[in-house]
Amino acid sequence: MSWPLPPALGPRVEAAAAVSRELGVPVYLVGGLVRDLVLGRENRDLDLVVEGDGIAFARRLAEVLGGRVREHREFLTAVVIDAEGFHLDVATARSEFYRAPAALPEVATSAIRQDLYRRDFTINTLAIRLGPDRRPALIDHFGGRDDLEAGVLRVLHSMSFIDDPTRVLRAVRLEQRLGFRMSPETLRLVEVAREEGVFARLSGSRLREELVLLLDDPQMALPGIERLAGLGLLGELHPELRLGEAERRTLWAAVGAWDWYRIQGLEQPPVALWRLLLAALTAGLDEPGRRALADRLQLVGANRRALVDGAERRRRVRALLAGDPAPHAVAAALEQTSGEDLLLLLAEGEPCERSSVRRYLRELRGFELAIRGADLVAAGVPPGPAIGEALRRTREARLDGVIGAGEELAFAREQALALTEVEAVPAGGGGRLGLDRPGGEGR
Ligand code: ATP
């Protein structure tokens, strides 16, 4: 074979070839790994197809590799997990009969050519026959090699996108990732699929999974969105979704904010790039529109909140920031704000709002007092709820610059004792309520 395997894969592929010879069944290396081997790109997905009993092959391979096997008998597939925890996917060569467009395929045993024919693009139909004959051979039934060299994505037949509309999104992703282009005929079939309305029959979860893969990659996301818009596919997500100048500006600014966040080495709160970009792209939709899109993508929990409620939350935070609040109030408001919303505030906000958010992320967010409750007890404060409250006030005073680093203990102790005194006074009994801070009222 003229393509060197990554060192981690060599012995495993050798083992698969040996088992193929031992059992006398043809075994093929398939999928993205073969494509990427020819392209000289990194890939560690080991996908094997067996022309015969894939499950029996997987069991034997697991024995040889000293691993275990997880079988999925209804799909005639198995995963071999070797002694080092590496996964090898094993499938039985199969063809698929589509019961209805966009439905899940049924599985039936068949040969490698038919198995490869059900794949998405010619470049993904290349296979390497590992055995049982000793010389590995490249199998190229559908002109995948030429298309790889020409940088072309081509479906195998005219019903491909009707059978499975996610392939359109895969095409957009592969275009970006490999720097390829769909062939003119394939582009025309995208158009046909759109006109036929096949995307409406696509399940929310599959649509979401593909979209997330595209939007979660910083290199692919923006050109991918441009491509989706160019192909008229944004409207398939929501009829009012479009990529105008305002959306472009927000998207670019969001990516800029995300870059800044990473360059600063910040990791908390976590930011999911896809959620950030989906929120940026949909910032122009109204709330019912965003809700409808969340329904379409079957988003739940934090993913749903990021899309549906984010705009309103950001509006509230911006109103608060516009009042030039004290640092501790900025921190209190932003601590409740998700990572995506913080970056969108950086992207959309006025300069002074942006500098508040940046300062929060860089300085205020992780701020911790040098003292603990135990220090107050050691300084003579009786244990009790006043300690927690005193520490909270001390943190505020530190954030606002009312006290310096060396004054924490004295300030906290004074606060705690004053609180304890107030608690000790019976209701209506007066007592000292003014909690004067050294250095004045702060802000
Ligand atoms: P990635 O690196 O993003 O995982 P990939 O193409 O290398 O992409 P998979 O997405 O895991 O790998 O897919 C493995 C193979 O399965 C692909 O090479 C492709 O031929 C095939 N495949 C995946 N999805 C589809 C689909 N919707 N229709 C047909 N074939 C598919």
Side-chain angles (χ1 to χ4, degrees), residues 233-422:
L233 295 175
L234 288 183
E236 299 296 331
L237 298 176
H238 186 279
E240 278 154 39
L241 193 59
R242 52 189 102 279
L243 187 60
E245 280 319 302
E247 286 80 11
R248 276 197 186 92
R249 251 198 319 275
T250 309
L251 280 166
W252 279 93
V255 171
W258 190 74
D259 283 340
W260 174 86
Y261 195 66
R262 288 186 325 141
I263 289 166
Q264 297 290 315
L266 297 168
E267 285 170 2
Q268 291 297 329
V271 177
L273 182 61
W274 73 268
R275 289 204 307 220
L276 173 69
L277 296 185
L278 194 59
L281 177 63
T282 55
L285 288 184
D286 58 9
E287 217 240 57
R290 290 195 303 275
R291 197 175 291 281
L293 179 57
D295 289 342
R296 176 70 187 101
L297 297 176
Q298 292 175 359
L299 294 177
V300 293
N303 291 341
R304 186 177 181 87
R305 284 195 297 279
L307 177 61
V308 177
D309 316 327
E312 173 56 23
R313 268 198 313 266
R314 295 197 299 280
R315 199 191 56 70
R316 281 203 302 269
V317 172
R318 289 183 68 174
L320 181 126
L321 294 181
D324 194 20
H328 82 265
V330 171
L334 297 188
E335 263 151 23
Q336 309 300 320
T337 307
S338 71
E340 291 84 15
D341 279 339
L342 288 171
L343 294 197
L344 282 170
L345 287 167
L346 285 179
E348 297 167 335
E350 298 297 326
C352 64
E353 296 162 4
R354 292 205 299 268
S355 71
S356 288
V357 175
R358 272 198 293 264
R359 171 147 187 240
Y360 164 75
L361 284 169
R362 269 197 307 236
E363 301 165 28
L364 307 181
R365 184 172 192 283
F367 178 79
E368 283 189 28
L369 293 175
I371 58 166
R372 296 280 174 274
D375 299 316
L376 287 182
V377 175
V381 177
I387 289 189
E389 175 60 15
L391 288 173
R392 195 189 63 73
R393 291 181 184 184
T394 308
R395 183 168 186 270
E396 278 188 18
R398 281 284 278 125
L399 288 174
D400 293 352
V402 172
I403 58 168
E407 297 168 282
E408 286 180 8
L409 186 59
F411 182 84
R413 184 169 178 279
E414 185 191 329
Q415 293 292 320
L417 290 176
L419 282 161
T420 314
E421 206 177 297
V422 170

Side-chain angles (χ1 to χ4, degrees), residues 206-220:
R206 294 197 74 198
L207 188 56
R208 181 188 64 240
E209 280 162 19
E210 278 301 331
L211 202 60
V212 168
L213 285 173
L214 184 69
L215 297 187
D216 229 9
D217 184 303
Q219 257 80 52
M220 297 194 292

Side-chain angles (χ1 to χ4, degrees), residues 123 144-154 179-181:
I123 61 163
R145 186 85 199 267
D146 285 348
D147 283 342
L148 260 189
E149 267 155 29
V152 168
L153 286 173
R154 190 191 311 277
F180 280 26
R181 269 318 201 211

Side-chain angles (χ1 to χ4, degrees), residues 47-167:
D47 291 313
L48 299 166
V49 169
V50 179
E51 254 178 334
D53 187 343
I55 303 266
F57 171 85
R59 285 186 188 154
R60 180 67 189 130
L61 182 59
E63 274 171 25
V64 168
L65 291 173
R68 60 202 166 84
V69 63
R70 213 164 49 210
E71 298 174 14
H72 305 285
R73 298 207 71 87
E74 67 280 26
F75 297 114
L76 307 176
T77 62
V79 183
V80 174
I81 301 147
D82 73 12
E84 287 162 39
F86 187 91
H87 287 214
L88 299 90
D89 285 326
V90 178
T92 304
R94 60 195 179 160
S95 63
E96 287 171 2
F97 301 105
Y98 286 87
R99 286 168 301 198
L104 273 178
E106 278 171 11
V107 176
T109 310
S110 83
I112 186 71
R113 189 176 191 283
Q114 275 165 290
D115 186 282
L116 296 172
Y117 185 66
R118 77 195 165 84
R119 287 169 193 264
D120 45 7
F121 307 106
T122 59
I123 61 163
N124 286 334
T125 63
L126 290 174
I128 295 170
R129 187 175 159 107
L130 299 177
D133 31 319
R134 282 205 165 262
R135 274 180 58 82
L138 183 74
I139 310 289
D140 182 9
H141 284 303
F142 306 102
R145 186 85 199 267
D146 285 348
D147 283 342
L148 260 189
E149 267 155 29
V152 168
L153 286 173
R154 190 191 311 277
V155 285
L156 278 89
H157 55 86
S158 62
M159 294 298 281
S160 188
F161 292 140
I162 311 272
D163 288 343
D164 183 356
T166 53
R167 291 173 183 166

